Amino acid sequence: MKLPGSFGFPRVVRFFRFLGGTIHFLSYHFILGRRDTRLSRTAGMRLIVRPTVFHPRYFISSRRFAEFIDTLNLGGKRVLDVGTGTGILAIAAARAGAETVIATDINPNAALSVPDNARANGVGDRVNAVCMNLFSGFLPAPLFDVIIANPPKHADEPRDLADRGWHGGPQHRDIAPLFDEASERLKPGGELYVMFSSHSDLGLIENLIERAGFNFRVVKKYSILIDSFVLYECTRRCFGFAAGSRLVAGNTCYKEGACER
Ligand SMILES: C[S@@+](CC[C@H](N)C(=O)[O-])C[C@H]1O[C@@H](n2cnc3c(N)ncnc32)[C@H](O)[C@@H]1O
């Protein structure tokens, strides 16, 4: 049976597009683009949110990701948080035991906020921040045990720096190199945790993850009324094998120093 046009699928798609556009309009004008500094209490942290910095209380993905990091044992690990915003995830990583955390963001106001926020939450001695585009300031060497990233989830042109917290460019252009660059900077067996949403082009993202040499699985899915957040755990695959090394299912390298690129 054919449904009358007014109940057809395209109308539902148009409705959700309209709703998404309205939510972005309100978020941009009242949260992302605001000109004052706010204090936020989120995920058990006290965070200063400077103008244009992604607000970790109004945007639920930040809190959910921080709560997930609380469940990890990062004891003694070197962690990188790419696109740190207020530093909420970097602070969560330090709270989960990380030995050192480097937090980076393309937005200078974000990088400036992190040291104050880390100090206010008792981890100022283990969290450092730098303003940069993705990994541009790091040598392509295995520097980190764990990389975390909560990147912009929508694939449209950002209006300005504040909007880069929401939009990552057509086809996720601004963050597409993240996966290759993360793979180059992870130690053998290192892990990348990255969050997207049902509004992201997940087919494209999963292709980029695989092409960068990761095995991946979805470790968490959080649904809110009009969106769901998808948290991927990506583990670097072996590219070659040193003498005496072993493999586990799915070619995942699990022994430090056991695989070579
Ligand atoms: C969705 S927000 C997440 C912020 C924070 N991690 C959180 O969970 O609250 C994405 C962040 O990535 C930053 N960003 C966007 N493109 C970037 C790039 N190419 N390099 C570094 N940071 C970027 C934005 O400025 C923004 O702070």
Side-chain angles (χ1 to χ4, degrees):
M1 191 183 78
K2 212 169 160 203
L3 286 170
S6 56
F7 294 108
F9 185 62
R11 186 164 268 230
V12 177
V13 172
R14 275 205 303 277
F15 170 73
F16 277 102
R17 284 225 174 105
F18 169 76
L19 194 61
T22 308
I23 291 169
H24 173 253
F25 178 85
L26 297 172
S27 302
Y28 177 78
H29 287 284
F30 294 105
I31 307 175
L32 290 163
R34 71 186 195 287
R35 288 166 192 275
D36 57 344
T37 296
R38 307 258 171 101
L39 174 66
S40 168
R41 288 178 198 277
T42 313
M45 297 175 204
R46 191 175 175 277
L47 300 166
I48 299 291
V49 192
R50 291 178 184 235
T52 71
V53 175
F54 194 79
H55 201 298
R57 186 177 172 85
Y58 298 130
F59 299 120
I60 295 160
S61 65
S62 313
R63 191 167 75 237
R64 291 282 179 260
F65 203 159
E67 286 164 357
F68 172 77
I69 292 171
D70 285 340
T71 68
L72 300 177
N73 177 4
L74 297 179
K77 307 252 177 184
R78 292 173 60 88
V79 177
L80 174 67
D81 174 20
V82 180
T84 195
T86 53
I88 178 170
L89 304 183
I91 295 167
R95 204 164 64 174
E99 182 184 294
T100 55
V101 187
I102 301 184
T104 67
D105 204 291
I106 195 129
N107 183 341
N109 261 350
L112 273 176
S113 312
V114 176
D116 290 343
N117 285 335
R119 259 194 310 277
N121 291 283
V123 292
D125 55 335
R126 283 181 290 137
V127 179
N128 290 295
V130 200
C131 181
M132 70 172 82
N133 182 17
L134 296 181
F135 297 81
S136 54
F138 295 112
L139 288 172
L143 301 168
F144 303 103
D145 299 293
V146 175
I147 297 178
I148 50 185
N150 186 17
K153 297 174 184 48
H154 298 257
D156 262 322
E157 200 62 61
R159 291 171 174 224
D160 55 21
L161 191 60
D163 202 26
R164 292 193 73 167
W166 187 283
H167 283 130
Q171 272 129 33
H172 298 285
R173 174 201 61 212
D174 296 348
I175 53 99
L178 184 143
F179 308 98
D180 277 337
E181 295 185 7
S183 176
E184 284 172 343
R185 284 151 182 94
L186 275 172
K187 294 184 188 172
E191 276 155 344
L192 165 69
Y193 291 97
V194 62
M195 186 181 261
F196 284 92
S197 93
S198 51
H199 290 284
S200 313
D201 184 342
L202 294 179
L204 172 71
I205 297 297
E206 290 177 8
N207 247 324
L208 291 170
I209 294 175
E210 282 203 314
R211 269 185 25 206
F214 288 106
N215 289 329
F216 70 88
R217 66 187 181 111
V218 172
V219 276
K220 282 277 175 197
K221 236 179 177 173
Y222 307 96
S223 287
I224 56 173
L225 206 55
I226 49 124
D227 205 348
S228 357
F229 300 112
V230 187
L231 182 54
Y232 291 99
E233 179 188 73
C234 314
T235 312
R236 246 193 64 187
R237 281 197 299 270
C238 281
F239 290 85
F241 311 104
S245 65
R246 288 181 292 161
L247 284 179
V248 289
N251 265 13
T252 301
C253 183
Y254 74 106
K255 192 174 148 200
E256 180 84 3
C259 74
E260 302 167 331
R261 302 220 55 200

